[in-house]
Amino acid sequence: MNRSPSFEYGYDVQNYISRAVEIFRTEYHYHWADASIFNSETRYAIEKGEDGAYHYIRSVTFSDDDVETEILDVDPWSPYPRVENAEDFIRRIVSDQEYCVFHKNHPVANYRVSVTPGLKVDGWYIERYEFNRLETGDYAAFVQAGDRTGGASRDFFIPPEFFSGTTFDEFLTRYETLVPASAFGLSADDLRKDPGLRAFLGFSS
């Protein structure tokens, strides 16, 4: 028998969604985050089941006649673990919505860093290394790598405080803690030598 989950913030799902938004704004630094920009095809609820107990619910609409619902504290879709408490539920909301929230802040300008042909990291060849200026004036980095059979890419939102009261060199020191050269190919020194990056990121020194 499944152990009943706990509902630390009551049975109003908006309490949990609001806390997910707060995580985006604080931990992720997505200060534009709001529940109104969540993916509308994924919905959350706390409902009483046939067993008379309350449950954490997630529904995904694939089409008008195809809506799949999972009881997160009983039988979540693989590979997700079973939700046991409020924190688990909130973190599931954050995990579901992170891509959507980030990409609501659209790029308005792009700068591609020069990458040495054939640069290889852990068996992957670095194909693209870019910086994007977003609608809000913030910046994000984008790294794409591939091999003979596949590829992968990743976005990194750069926290605004990385730019606050600092020089370009100081910024790069902070930036390398977010996108380390050991994992993503280019060091702070590599980026320092790029002829246009300093100006694109708004630094004069």
Side-chain angles (χ1 to χ4, degrees):
M1 179 178 293
N2 290 315
R3 183 165 58 86
S4 296
S6 56
F7 298 88
E8 288 87 341
Y9 303 114
Y11 301 109
D12 183 349
V13 74
Q14 293 305 318
N15 294 333
Y16 300 80
I17 291 173
S18 295
R19 283 168 171 79
V21 169
E22 189 60 25
I23 288 173
F24 280 127
R25 292 177 179 174
T26 55
E27 293 184 22
Y28 286 72
H29 308 279
Y30 297 173
H31 52 85
W32 63 92
D34 187 87
S36 64
I37 63 174
F38 282 9
N39 181 357
S40 61
E41 295 175 351
T42 303
R43 298 186 177 276
Y44 308 93
I46 296 173
E47 298 175 352
K48 185 176 289 188
E50 294 180 359
D51 58 359
Y54 283 95
H55 296 282
Y56 290 111
I57 306 295
R58 174 182 181 266
S59 298
V60 180
T61 301
F62 295 99
S63 66
D64 289 344
D65 57 356
D66 185 6
V67 180
E68 295 194 18
T69 299
E70 58 183 322
I71 304 175
L72 297 175
D73 53 274
V74 176
D75 188 26
W77 298 345
S78 177
Y80 294 102
R82 187 166 63 86
V83 166
E84 296 186 358
N85 52 49
E87 183 64 20
D88 288 349
F89 185 48
I90 292 165
R91 290 292 172 175
R92 179 62 188 275
I93 296 171
V94 170
S95 176
D96 287 346
Q97 299 294 336
E98 194 276 333
Y99 180 90
C100 182
V101 171
F102 175 81
H103 285 90
K104 287 291 184 179
N105 195 356
H106 302 113
V108 296
N110 172 270
Y111 184 85
R112 181 173 291 194
V113 177
S114 299
V115 176
T116 302
L119 178 62
K120 188 176 183 180
V121 179
D122 291 336
W124 295 81
Y125 292 93
I126 306 301
E127 299 172 340
R128 292 168 60 190
Y129 197 114
E130 302 174 356
F131 287 83
N132 290 304
R133 185 165 64 248
L134 308 177
E135 286 178 330
T136 56
D138 298 293
Y139 289 87
F142 173 82
V143 182
Q144 177 177 296
D147 59 15
R148 292 178 181 271
T149 59
S153 62
R154 184 173 172 184
D155 291 287
F156 298 87
F157 180 73
I158 304 173
E161 55 265 33
F162 279 27
F163 296 89
S164 179
T166 186
T167 65
F168 184 54
D169 284 349
E170 291 168 337
F171 163 79
L172 290 176
T173 298
R174 297 174 181 177
Y175 172 79
E176 201 168 24
T177 65
L178 179 69
V179 190
S182 60
F184 299 99
L186 297 186
S187 68
D189 193 49
D190 294 323
L191 297 172
R192 187 178 294 109
K193 294 174 182 176
D194 187 275
L197 182 60
R198 181 192 304 260
F200 179 78
L201 294 177
F203 290 98
S204 59
S205 62

